[in-house]
Amino acid sequence: MRRALLIYNLFSGFRRHRRHQEIDAAVQELRRAGVDAESVASQGPAQAGAQAQEAIAAGYDTVFACGGDGTVHEVLQGMVGQDATLALLPLGTANALAADLNIPRDPALAIRQQLKYRPRTIAAGLIEHCRDSSPKLKRFFTVMAGVGPDALLVYTLSAEAKARWGVAAYVGNAFWEYLRYRHAPFSVSLTDCAGRTEVLESAQIMAVRIHNFGGPLKRFARDADLSRNDLRVIVFRGGVRFSYPAYLLSALFGLQVRIPGVELIDANEIMCRALPGREDRSIYCEADGECLWQLPIRLSIVPNAFKLLMP
Protein backbone atom coordinates (compact mmCIF):
# COMPACT_ATOMS: atom_id res chain seq x y z
CA MET A 1 0.00 0.00 0.00
CA ARG A 2 1.61 3.24 -1.17
CA ARG A 3 -1.23 5.67 -1.84
CA ALA A 4 -4.70 5.43 -0.29
CA LEU A 5 -7.93 7.38 -0.60
CA LEU A 6 -10.60 7.19 2.11
CA ILE A 7 -14.15 7.72 0.77
CA TYR A 8 -16.42 8.34 3.75
CA ASN A 9 -20.15 8.54 4.27
CA LEU A 10 -21.13 11.46 6.51
CA PHE A 11 -24.53 9.94 7.25
CA SER A 12 -23.61 6.36 8.13
CA GLY A 13 -23.80 4.89 11.64
CA PHE A 14 -24.26 6.41 15.07
CA ARG A 15 -21.29 8.74 15.55
CA ARG A 16 -21.94 11.19 12.76
CA HIS A 17 -20.84 14.18 14.86
CA ARG A 18 -17.41 12.56 15.18
CA ARG A 19 -17.04 11.52 11.55
CA HIS A 20 -14.33 14.02 10.63
CA GLN A 21 -12.30 13.15 13.74
CA GLU A 22 -12.60 9.41 12.93
CA ILE A 23 -11.47 9.92 9.34
CA ASP A 24 -8.61 12.16 10.43
CA ALA A 25 -7.44 9.53 12.94
CA ALA A 26 -7.40 6.90 10.18
CA VAL A 27 -5.54 9.18 7.75
CA GLN A 28 -2.91 10.04 10.35
CA GLU A 29 -2.42 6.34 11.16
CA LEU A 30 -1.79 5.60 7.49
CA ARG A 31 0.62 8.49 7.14
CA ARG A 32 2.59 7.33 10.17
CA ALA A 33 3.00 4.03 8.34
CA GLY A 34 4.43 5.82 5.31
CA VAL A 35 1.28 5.71 3.19
CA ASP A 36 0.32 8.78 1.16
CA ALA A 37 -3.29 9.09 2.37
CA GLU A 38 -6.10 11.52 1.62
CA SER A 39 -9.85 11.54 2.30
CA VAL A 40 -12.97 12.71 0.51
CA ALA A 41 -16.67 12.66 1.39
CA SER A 42 -19.00 10.57 -0.73
CA GLN A 43 -20.85 12.80 -3.17
CA GLY A 44 -24.13 10.97 -2.56
CA PRO A 45 -25.93 7.69 -3.30
CA ALA A 46 -24.52 5.80 -6.29
CA GLN A 47 -21.58 8.22 -6.61
CA ALA A 48 -18.93 6.48 -4.50
CA GLY A 49 -18.19 3.92 -7.22
CA ALA A 50 -17.41 6.67 -9.71
CA GLN A 51 -15.25 8.40 -7.10
CA ALA A 52 -13.32 5.16 -6.59
CA GLN A 53 -12.68 4.87 -10.33
CA GLU A 54 -11.48 8.48 -10.46
CA ALA A 55 -9.14 7.78 -7.55
CA ILE A 56 -7.68 4.72 -9.30
CA ALA A 57 -7.17 6.73 -12.50
CA ALA A 58 -5.35 9.34 -10.39
CA GLY A 59 -2.89 6.73 -9.12
CA TYR A 60 -4.35 5.53 -5.80
CA ASP A 61 -3.62 1.83 -5.26
CA THR A 62 -5.97 1.41 -2.27
CA VAL A 63 -9.49 2.77 -1.70
CA PHE A 64 -11.00 2.64 1.78
CA ALA A 65 -14.80 2.46 2.01
CA CYS A 66 -15.55 4.32 5.25
CA GLY A 67 -19.07 3.61 6.53
CA GLY A 68 -21.33 0.58 6.78
CA ASP A 69 -22.02 -2.25 4.37
CA GLY A 70 -24.01 0.12 2.16
CA THR A 71 -20.98 2.37 1.71
CA VAL A 72 -18.79 -0.66 0.93
CA HIS A 73 -21.41 -1.75 -1.60
CA GLU A 74 -21.31 1.63 -3.35
CA VAL A 75 -17.50 1.80 -3.49
CA LEU A 76 -17.33 -1.81 -4.73
CA GLN A 77 -19.16 -0.86 -7.92
CA GLY A 78 -16.08 1.09 -9.00
CA MET A 79 -13.53 -1.51 -7.88
CA VAL A 80 -14.54 -4.56 -9.91
CA GLY A 81 -12.09 -5.23 -12.71
CA GLN A 82 -9.57 -2.70 -11.38
CA ASP A 83 -6.02 -3.32 -10.20
CA ALA A 84 -6.47 -1.28 -7.01
CA THR A 85 -7.44 -2.81 -3.65
CA LEU A 86 -10.62 -2.28 -1.62
CA ALA A 87 -10.15 -1.76 2.15
CA LEU A 88 -12.61 -0.96 4.96
CA LEU A 89 -13.10 1.49 7.78
CA PRO A 90 -16.23 0.25 9.61
CA LEU A 91 -18.28 3.29 10.67
CA GLY A 92 -21.81 2.08 9.92
CA THR A 93 -24.78 0.69 11.82
CA ALA A 94 -24.10 -2.84 10.61
CA ASN A 95 -20.57 -3.75 9.56
CA ALA A 96 -20.96 -7.38 8.49
CA LEU A 97 -18.06 -7.50 6.02
CA ALA A 98 -15.74 -5.85 8.57
CA ALA A 99 -16.80 -8.42 11.17
CA ASP A 100 -16.03 -11.23 8.72
CA LEU A 101 -12.56 -9.75 8.12
CA ASN A 102 -11.96 -9.21 11.85
CA ILE A 103 -11.58 -5.44 11.47
CA PRO A 104 -12.22 -3.48 14.71
CA ARG A 105 -14.52 -0.45 14.80
CA ASP A 106 -11.92 1.91 16.27
CA PRO A 107 -10.49 3.82 13.26
CA ALA A 108 -6.83 3.73 14.31
CA LEU A 109 -7.01 0.06 15.29
CA ALA A 110 -8.80 -0.75 12.02
CA ILE A 111 -5.95 0.78 10.02
CA ARG A 112 -3.26 -0.96 12.08
CA GLN A 113 -5.00 -4.29 11.59
CA GLN A 114 -5.29 -3.89 7.84
CA LEU A 115 -1.66 -2.79 7.47
CA LYS A 116 -0.92 -6.43 8.37
CA TYR A 117 -3.28 -7.73 5.67
CA ARG A 118 -2.54 -8.46 2.01
CA PRO A 119 -4.58 -7.89 -1.18
CA ARG A 120 -6.37 -10.99 -2.41
CA THR A 121 -8.28 -11.30 -5.67
CA ILE A 122 -11.69 -12.80 -4.93
CA ALA A 123 -15.07 -13.38 -6.55
CA ALA A 124 -18.01 -11.00 -6.28
CA GLY A 125 -21.69 -11.75 -6.26
CA LEU A 126 -23.69 -10.22 -9.10
CA ILE A 127 -27.38 -9.32 -9.11
CA GLU A 128 -29.08 -8.23 -12.34
CA HIS A 129 -32.52 -6.87 -13.14
CA CYS A 130 -33.84 -8.82 -16.10
CA ARG A 131 -37.09 -7.10 -17.09
CA ASP A 132 -37.28 -7.02 -20.88
CA SER A 133 -38.95 -3.62 -21.06
CA SER A 134 -36.03 -1.79 -19.40
CA PRO A 135 -32.23 -1.81 -19.68
CA LYS A 136 -30.58 -4.57 -17.66
CA LEU A 137 -29.31 -3.14 -14.38
CA LYS A 138 -26.61 -4.82 -12.32
CA ARG A 139 -24.89 -4.51 -8.94
CA PHE A 140 -22.00 -6.40 -7.42
CA PHE A 141 -22.18 -7.51 -3.79
CA THR A 142 -19.89 -8.87 -1.09
CA VAL A 143 -22.08 -9.82 1.90
CA MET A 144 -25.34 -11.24 0.59
CA ALA A 145 -28.29 -10.68 -1.69
CA GLY A 146 -31.85 -11.67 -0.93
CA VAL A 147 -35.29 -11.89 -2.51
CA GLY A 148 -38.43 -11.79 -0.40
CA PRO A 149 -39.16 -10.60 3.14
CA ASP A 150 -35.59 -9.59 3.98
CA ALA A 151 -35.63 -7.15 1.04
CA LEU A 152 -39.08 -5.91 2.13
CA LEU A 153 -37.58 -5.25 5.55
CA VAL A 154 -34.84 -3.11 4.00
CA TYR A 155 -37.40 -1.34 1.81
CA THR A 156 -39.64 -0.36 4.73
CA LEU A 157 -36.90 0.57 7.21
CA SER A 158 -36.29 4.31 7.31
CA ALA A 159 -32.80 5.82 7.42
CA GLU A 160 -33.86 7.79 10.51
CA ALA A 161 -34.77 4.60 12.37
CA LYS A 162 -31.45 3.00 11.44
CA ALA A 163 -29.50 6.04 12.62
CA ARG A 164 -31.41 6.32 15.89
CA TRP A 165 -31.83 2.69 16.91
CA GLY A 166 -29.17 0.80 14.96
CA VAL A 167 -29.50 -2.98 14.86
CA ALA A 168 -32.52 -2.76 17.19
CA ALA A 169 -34.37 -1.03 14.34
CA TYR A 170 -33.84 -4.09 12.13
CA VAL A 171 -35.07 -6.43 14.86
CA GLY A 172 -38.15 -4.34 15.63
CA ASN A 173 -39.06 -3.81 12.01
CA ALA A 174 -38.51 -7.49 11.23
CA PHE A 175 -40.88 -8.46 14.04
CA TRP A 176 -43.54 -6.04 12.77
CA GLU A 177 -43.21 -7.06 9.12
CA TYR A 178 -43.43 -10.76 9.91
CA LEU A 179 -46.57 -10.22 11.98
CA ARG A 180 -48.31 -8.60 9.03
CA TYR A 181 -46.54 -10.27 6.08
CA ARG A 182 -48.43 -12.61 3.75
CA HIS A 183 -45.77 -14.55 1.94
CA ALA A 184 -45.69 -14.11 -1.81
CA PRO A 185 -44.10 -17.17 -3.44
CA PHE A 186 -42.09 -16.81 -6.61
CA SER A 187 -40.39 -19.15 -9.07
CA VAL A 188 -36.72 -19.99 -8.54
CA SER A 189 -34.52 -21.67 -11.15
CA LEU A 190 -31.35 -22.71 -9.33
CA THR A 191 -28.24 -24.06 -11.08
CA ASP A 192 -25.85 -25.78 -8.69
CA CYS A 193 -22.06 -26.12 -9.01
CA ALA A 194 -22.39 -29.39 -10.93
CA GLY A 195 -24.53 -27.70 -13.60
CA ARG A 196 -27.80 -29.30 -12.48
CA THR A 197 -30.83 -27.01 -12.60
CA GLU A 198 -33.83 -27.27 -10.28
CA VAL A 199 -37.03 -25.23 -10.51
CA LEU A 200 -38.91 -24.65 -7.27
CA GLU A 201 -41.21 -22.23 -5.49
CA SER A 202 -39.94 -20.13 -2.61
CA ALA A 203 -40.97 -17.06 -0.64
CA GLN A 204 -37.41 -16.20 0.44
CA ILE A 205 -33.90 -16.93 -0.80
CA MET A 206 -30.57 -15.53 0.39
CA ALA A 207 -27.28 -15.81 -1.51
CA VAL A 208 -24.55 -15.43 1.10
CA ARG A 209 -20.81 -14.76 0.66
CA ILE A 210 -19.51 -14.37 4.25
CA HIS A 211 -19.51 -16.70 7.26
CA ASN A 212 -19.50 -14.14 10.12
CA PHE A 213 -22.06 -11.31 10.17
CA GLY A 214 -20.82 -10.09 13.55
CA GLY A 215 -22.59 -10.17 16.88
CA PRO A 216 -24.62 -13.32 17.38
CA LEU A 217 -25.02 -14.15 13.67
CA LYS A 218 -21.75 -16.03 13.23
CA ARG A 219 -23.37 -19.17 11.82
CA PHE A 220 -25.98 -17.63 9.59
CA ALA A 221 -24.99 -19.52 6.44
CA ARG A 222 -22.82 -22.47 7.36
CA ASP A 223 -19.73 -22.88 5.10
CA ALA A 224 -20.20 -19.56 3.27
CA ASP A 225 -16.81 -17.93 2.66
CA LEU A 226 -15.34 -15.09 0.59
CA SER A 227 -12.66 -17.40 -0.81
CA ARG A 228 -15.27 -19.52 -2.59
CA ASN A 229 -16.25 -19.12 -6.25
CA ASP A 230 -19.92 -19.87 -5.69
CA LEU A 231 -22.93 -18.65 -3.74
CA ARG A 232 -24.10 -20.30 -0.53
CA VAL A 233 -27.85 -20.11 -1.00
CA ILE A 234 -30.40 -20.40 1.80
CA VAL A 235 -33.63 -21.59 0.19
CA PHE A 236 -36.93 -21.40 2.05
CA ARG A 237 -39.29 -23.72 0.24
CA GLY A 238 -42.93 -22.69 0.41
CA GLY A 239 -43.96 -20.22 3.12
CA VAL A 240 -41.72 -18.42 5.59
CA ARG A 241 -44.11 -17.58 8.42
CA PHE A 242 -42.51 -20.14 10.73
CA SER A 243 -39.41 -21.38 8.92
CA TYR A 244 -37.66 -18.00 8.66
CA PRO A 245 -37.98 -17.03 12.36
CA ALA A 246 -37.02 -20.60 13.30
CA TYR A 247 -33.91 -20.41 11.10
CA LEU A 248 -32.90 -17.05 12.60
CA LEU A 249 -33.30 -18.38 16.13
CA SER A 250 -31.23 -21.46 15.33
CA ALA A 251 -28.49 -19.23 13.87
CA LEU A 252 -28.61 -16.88 16.87
CA PHE A 253 -28.14 -19.74 19.33
CA GLY A 254 -25.73 -21.70 17.14
CA LEU A 255 -28.01 -24.72 16.96
CA GLN A 256 -27.25 -27.41 14.39
CA VAL A 257 -30.85 -28.38 13.78
CA ARG A 258 -32.75 -29.06 10.60
CA ILE A 259 -35.55 -26.58 9.95
CA PRO A 260 -38.29 -28.11 7.77
CA GLY A 261 -38.49 -26.36 4.42
CA VAL A 262 -35.02 -24.77 4.71
CA GLU A 263 -32.07 -25.97 2.64
CA LEU A 264 -28.53 -24.70 1.99
CA ILE A 265 -27.35 -25.16 -1.59
CA ASP A 266 -24.12 -24.22 -3.39
CA ALA A 267 -25.05 -22.49 -6.64
CA ASN A 268 -23.57 -20.60 -9.56
CA GLU A 269 -26.80 -19.02 -10.83
CA ILE A 270 -30.31 -18.31 -9.53
CA MET A 271 -33.17 -16.89 -11.58
CA CYS A 272 -36.16 -15.49 -9.67
CA ARG A 273 -39.39 -14.71 -11.49
CA ALA A 274 -42.97 -14.00 -10.53
CA LEU A 275 -45.31 -16.95 -10.76
CA PRO A 276 -47.69 -16.91 -13.76
CA GLY A 277 -50.73 -14.82 -12.91
CA ARG A 278 -49.02 -13.22 -9.91
CA GLU A 279 -46.92 -10.64 -11.71
CA ASP A 280 -48.69 -7.86 -9.80
CA ARG A 281 -47.20 -8.94 -6.46
CA SER A 282 -44.50 -6.58 -5.16
CA ILE A 283 -41.51 -8.85 -4.47
CA TYR A 284 -38.29 -6.95 -3.83
CA CYS A 285 -34.62 -7.88 -3.90
CA GLU A 286 -31.70 -6.43 -1.97
CA ALA A 287 -27.92 -6.61 -2.01
CA ASP A 288 -25.66 -5.77 0.95
CA GLY A 289 -28.63 -4.20 2.73
CA GLU A 290 -29.55 -1.93 -0.20
CA CYS A 291 -33.06 -2.36 -1.59
CA LEU A 292 -32.88 -2.59 -5.39
CA TRP A 293 -35.63 -3.79 -7.73
CA GLN A 294 -38.66 -6.01 -8.08
CA LEU A 295 -38.63 -9.32 -9.96
CA PRO A 296 -37.37 -10.73 -12.29
CA ILE A 297 -33.73 -10.87 -11.19
CA ARG A 298 -30.67 -13.06 -11.76
CA LEU A 299 -28.02 -13.88 -9.17
CA SER A 300 -24.61 -15.21 -10.18
CA ILE A 301 -20.93 -15.21 -9.26
CA VAL A 302 -18.04 -13.40 -10.97
CA PRO A 303 -14.68 -15.10 -10.27
CA ASN A 304 -11.53 -12.98 -9.80
CA ALA A 305 -13.64 -9.83 -9.72
CA PHE A 306 -11.75 -7.47 -7.39
CA LYS A 307 -8.96 -7.13 -4.84
CA LEU A 308 -9.79 -7.00 -1.14
CA LEU A 309 -7.42 -6.34 1.75
CA MET A 310 -7.74 -9.52 3.80
CA PRO A 311 -6.01 -11.54 6.56
Side-chain angles (χ1 to χ4, degrees):
M1 188 190 307
R2 301 182 307 275
R3 195 177 180 205
L5 180 68
L6 288 76
I7 301 176
Y8 62 92
N9 183 350
L10 280 169
F11 305 103
S12 179
F14 295 108
R15 301 172 296 187
R16 298 177 182 179
H17 62 289
R18 296 178 52 194
R19 189 54 36 90
H20 291 291
Q21 295 96 309
E22 292 174 322
I23 295 299
D24 185 62
V27 168
Q28 294 306 319
E29 196 67 36
L30 285 166
R31 289 175 177 171
R32 278 192 287 271
V35 179
D36 180 7
E38 301 292 341
S39 65
V40 63
S42 171
Q43 296 173 352
Q47 297 301 312
Q51 288 176 269
Q53 288 185 331
E54 291 169 3
I56 295 166
Y60 288 94
D61 57 62
T62 306
V63 178
F64 280 83
C66 309
D69 291 313
T71 304
V72 177
H73 178 82
E74 293 294 343
V75 174
L76 173 68
Q77 308 312 310
M79 303 296 295
V80 172
Q82 303 287 343
D83 193 45
T85 301
L86 174 65
L88 277 63
L89 193 64
L91 303 175
T93 304
N95 301 284
L97 183 59
D100 193 60
L101 297 174
N102 197 30
I103 299 173
R105 287 180 178 245
D106 178 87
L109 292 178
I111 296 299
R112 289 176 206 163
Q113 182 83 330
Q114 288 175 96
L115 286 170
K116 303 174 186 176
Y117 291 178
R118 293 291 180 269
R120 288 177 56 188
T121 302
I122 63 170
L126 176 64
I127 183 169
E128 299 171 279
H129 188 228
C130 301
R131 190 178 298 277
D132 293 335
S133 60
S134 62
K136 182 177 288 189
L137 306 172
K138 67 179 183 180
R139 303 286 284 182
F140 299 98
F141 63 92
T142 59
V143 174
M144 65 165 283
V147 181
D150 77 306
L152 178 68
L153 165 62
V154 172
Y155 178 74
T156 59
L157 184 62
S158 69
E160 292 77 14
K162 283 175 59 178
R164 184 172 183 181
W165 303 107
V167 175
Y170 287 99
V171 176
N173 199 44
F175 180 73
W176 170 248
E177 289 296 340
Y178 272 94
L179 280 178
R180 59 197 293 266
Y181 183 70
R182 292 181 175 84
H183 77 269
F186 50 90
S187 174
V188 178
S189 176
L190 189 149
T191 303
D192 67 18
C193 297
R196 297 183 296 262
T197 299
E198 178 185 7
V199 179
L200 55 95
E201 285 188 18
S202 176
Q204 171 74 75
I205 66 161
M206 297 176 177
V208 184
R209 291 283 297 144
I210 65 172
H211 71 272
N212 180 6
F213 280 71
L217 285 178
K218 296 182 179 180
R219 300 180 182 176
F220 186 68
R222 189 176 63 255
D223 297 329
D225 194 278
L226 284 170
S227 65
R228 296 177 55 152
N229 285 323
D230 59 12
L231 300 169
R232 189 68 166 150
V233 187
I234 310 171
V235 178
F236 294 82
R237 296 177 184 267
V240 295
R241 176 74 69 187
F242 300 107
S243 60
Y244 188 65
Y247 185 83
L248 286 181
L249 287 172
S250 68
L252 285 169
F253 290 103
L255 303 176
Q256 298 293 323
V257 296
R258 184 181 181 279
I259 308 298
V262 182
E263 186 176 358
L264 274 74
I265 301 173
D266 300 327
N268 288 329
E269 180 181 276
I270 306 105
M271 284 292 305
C272 300
R273 303 180 179 89
L275 292 171
R278 299 189 184 183
E279 291 83 1
D280 61 330
R281 300 297 297 270
S282 296
I283 301 174
Y284 292 91
C285 67
E286 60 89 11
D288 294 339
E290 300 295 304
C291 191
L292 298 175
W293 320 292
Q294 295 186 39
L295 299 184
I297 62 100
R298 175 180 180 262
L299 291 161
S300 60
I301 192 79
V302 181
N304 303 316
F306 71 105
K307 290 183 179 179
L308 179 65
L309 208 56
M310 298 178 67

